[in-house]
Amino acid sequence: MLDAREVFDGLTQHDQVSWTSMISGLSRNGDRKGALLMFKRMLVSSVKPNCQTFVGVMSGKTGPEEALVNATMLHAQIVKRGFESNSFLISTLVDVYSKCGRLGQAEVLFYDTEEKEEVLFNPMISGYCFNARYEKGLRLFAEMRERNLSPSYHAVTSALHACGSITLLQQGREIHALLIKLGSEFNIYVVSALVDMYSKCGSVEEARRAFDQTVEKNAVMWTSMILGYAQNGKGLNALELFKIWKKECDFRPDHVSFTAVLSACVHSGLVEKGLEYFGMFKNVYGIVPDQDHYACLVDLYARNGQLEKAKELMETMPQKPNHFMWSSFLSSCRDYGEIEIAKKTADKILLTETRDASSYIVLANLYASAGLWGEAAEVTRSMNEHKIKKNVSAGSWV
């Protein structure tokens, strides 16, 4: 891109095409800052930006905070230049605002646009689901179909994710039927979303059927099906599928695959298998274990009563144990009545910087169940001192 910039700067005159090409090229090649600086140079020149220029400068990837600042500035320029009726520009802004957590601003843009096209519905549906507003996302998806508009793959996968997240199996099946009607049921990303949705809704058999009907499978799809089995208590099925995957010529496991296989071992109580796979991923495939992998191993030990080994692993692992590990470990101490082991780890929990209340609550309940009311009161006092509040219990959809 340096040569292209030198050529651009060497020109005596520029028009909208040259400015826009330069800005888009910088943005596409990851130089978002350079694209923005070039856009600002254009604003003070005699050549004014058009819609394609704005699309070019907004197409690059950046962090949420920087993206929000840039989007706000570009939004003001879009309004100033009179492009606020351009559906493609508005859809891009809706997408950026949604991903930055500014769902309200995205909604204002969407609902203030009178003529809503497919290009506008798709990012709004995805935005709702990205921000866990699943009901709104599914209602908008239904409205889009009532208008005979075709959803994008991204919107469909978002709707399937919503169905899985709030266990709407029947609605997920209806979306699956729509995909068959549209001839899109074999798209790799859509099938991965179908597998995930069916698994989360407890229908792992339907997940497997969707998986088997797809000829070309990528790592995401294999991992989704393995994780689906694990989450539904079918760890042996998950490990059997992993063996089949290993025979495939394109076997390329990653960190997520690593977690899925270990989760299957956890749910099936297969300690030796879990240790075997942990070593395999680490030594054979060169995947450096992260905190999630160590958490699975700690959980595997703890759930099977090997609390000393779980404790030793937390003390020697490269990363600092988080509150999920402590909470899981203490829950196992409670299940196995190991008060002394829990006592030994109490100080470490109370000294951690985590603001999550779960470890404290599990520890207090453990002491209380053993009749150690003084220790239970000490944990409660520590929570009050650090102003750690108990999370409000969630409501049941049932």
Side-chain angles (χ1 to χ4, degrees):
M1 287 309 297
L2 182 60
D3 292 339
R5 193 178 305 186
E6 287 177 350
V7 172
F8 178 85
D9 290 336
L11 296 174
T12 55
Q13 289 185 335
H14 300 290
D15 57 12
Q16 282 185 335
V17 175
S18 62
W19 277 108
T20 301
S21 297
M22 192 67 230
I23 290 168
S24 300
L26 288 168
S27 190
R28 282 197 303 270
N29 283 274
D31 190 0
R32 182 65 181 271
K33 186 176 181 180
L36 197 61
L37 290 173
M38 189 67 70
F39 178 75
K40 290 179 179 178
R41 280 179 58 188
M42 184 181 184
L43 291 179
V44 297
S45 72
S46 59
V47 182
K48 302 307 175 188
N50 58 20
C51 291
Q52 286 71 31
T53 313
F54 283 101
V55 171
V57 77
M58 289 192 291
S59 61
K61 294 183 178 180
T62 186
E65 292 183 6
E66 185 182 351
L68 182 59
V69 172
N70 294 342
T72 303
M73 184 272 289
L74 293 169
H75 189 181
Q77 286 293 328
I78 288 170
V79 174
K80 181 179 179 180
R81 306 286 172 180
F83 296 143
E84 63 267 33
S85 60
N86 184 284
S87 296
F88 198 85
L89 286 180
I90 297 302
S91 70
T92 304
L93 285 171
V94 166
D95 185 54
V96 173
Y97 281 137
S98 298
K99 288 178 179 175
C100 292
R102 299 299 180 93
L103 196 57
Q105 287 171 273
E107 285 180 313
V108 168
L109 284 172
F110 177 82
Y111 289 106
D112 280 355
T113 304
E114 292 184 6
E115 295 185 9
K116 297 179 179 65
E117 304 172 18
E118 293 172 355
V119 72
L120 200 55
F121 269 91
N122 289 319
M124 194 68 247
I125 292 168
S126 300
Y128 275 133
C129 298
F130 181 81
N131 287 277
R133 303 292 179 86
Y134 303 122
E135 301 91 339
K136 284 190 173 183
L138 289 172
R139 279 200 292 268
L140 200 59
F141 186 85
E143 182 183 335
M144 187 180 188
R145 293 302 304 145
E146 287 173 2
R147 297 188 182 203
N148 291 319
L149 299 175
S150 297
S152 66
Y153 285 143
H154 194 44
V156 170
T157 54
S158 294
L160 288 171
H161 173 67
C163 291
S165 297
I166 53 180
T167 58
L168 293 178
L169 179 57
Q170 185 55 40
Q171 195 156 351
R173 285 171 175 159
E174 290 172 5
I175 295 174
H176 190 178
L178 172 64
L179 289 169
I180 294 173
K181 181 180 178 181
L182 296 174
S184 306
E185 76 273 25
F186 298 121
N187 177 276
I188 288 177
Y189 300 102
V190 170
V191 175
S192 295
L194 280 169
V195 169
D196 182 64
M197 180 274 295
Y198 280 129
S199 298
K200 286 179 177 176
C201 290
S203 184
V204 72
E205 293 81 10
E206 288 179 278
R208 184 60 190 263
R209 278 199 294 273
F211 175 85
D212 287 338
Q213 288 171 0
T214 307
V215 178
E216 295 184 11
K217 301 177 178 68
N218 62 3
V220 175
M221 195 180 301
W222 283 99
T223 302
S224 295
M225 192 64 247
I226 291 169
L227 195 57
Y229 273 132
Q231 290 171 339
N232 284 274
K234 296 181 180 293
L236 293 176
N237 297 81
L239 297 180
E240 185 61 34
L241 185 63
F242 178 69
K243 289 180 182 178
I244 296 171
W245 184 20
K246 279 177 61 181
K247 294 178 183 177
E248 298 289 324
C249 59
D250 62 342
F251 176 64
R252 294 192 186 98
D254 56 16
H255 281 78
V256 182
S257 311
F258 194 170
T259 305
V261 172
L262 289 178
S263 296
C265 295
V266 171
H267 287 287
S268 297
L270 303 173
V271 179
E272 295 302 320
K273 277 289 182 184
L275 293 172
E276 178 187 331
Y277 284 122
F278 189 90
M280 179 195 297
F281 279 102
K282 182 180 177 182
N283 301 322
V284 178
Y285 299 107
I287 300 176
V288 179
D290 59 22
Q291 195 172 54
D292 288 338
H293 304 137
Y294 281 105
C296 286
L297 208 53
V298 168
D299 202 21
L300 183 59
Y301 278 134
R303 286 191 184 203
N304 288 276
Q306 299 183 31
L307 298 171
E308 287 290 355
K309 287 186 178 180
K311 180 173 174 289
E312 182 183 350
L313 181 60
M314 285 193 289
E315 291 171 347
T316 58
M317 59 185 277
Q319 303 91 353
K320 183 180 178 181
N322 57 25
H323 65 271
F324 294 111
M325 289 190 191
W326 288 122
S327 182
S328 173
F329 178 74
L330 286 173
S331 294
S332 295
C333 286
R334 179 193 59 205
D335 294 339
Y336 286 94
E338 293 288 354
I339 306 298
E340 290 304 315
I341 297 178
K343 275 186 175 183
K344 291 177 183 178
T345 59
D347 289 340
K348 294 178 182 178
I349 296 174
L350 299 180
L351 289 173
T352 56
E353 298 177 1
T354 178
R355 308 304 298 169
D356 186 86
S358 59
S359 297
Y360 288 84
I361 294 167
V362 172
L363 184 57
N365 290 339
L366 178 62
Y367 284 145
S369 64
L372 301 173
W373 302 108
E375 287 83 349
E378 178 62 23
V379 174
T380 304
R381 184 189 63 78
S382 182
M383 285 183 67
N384 294 333
E385 272 186 8
H386 292 89
K387 297 181 180 179
I388 299 174
K389 296 186 180 296
K390 181 178 178 180
N391 295 328
V392 179
S393 299
S396 169
W397 276 91
V398 177

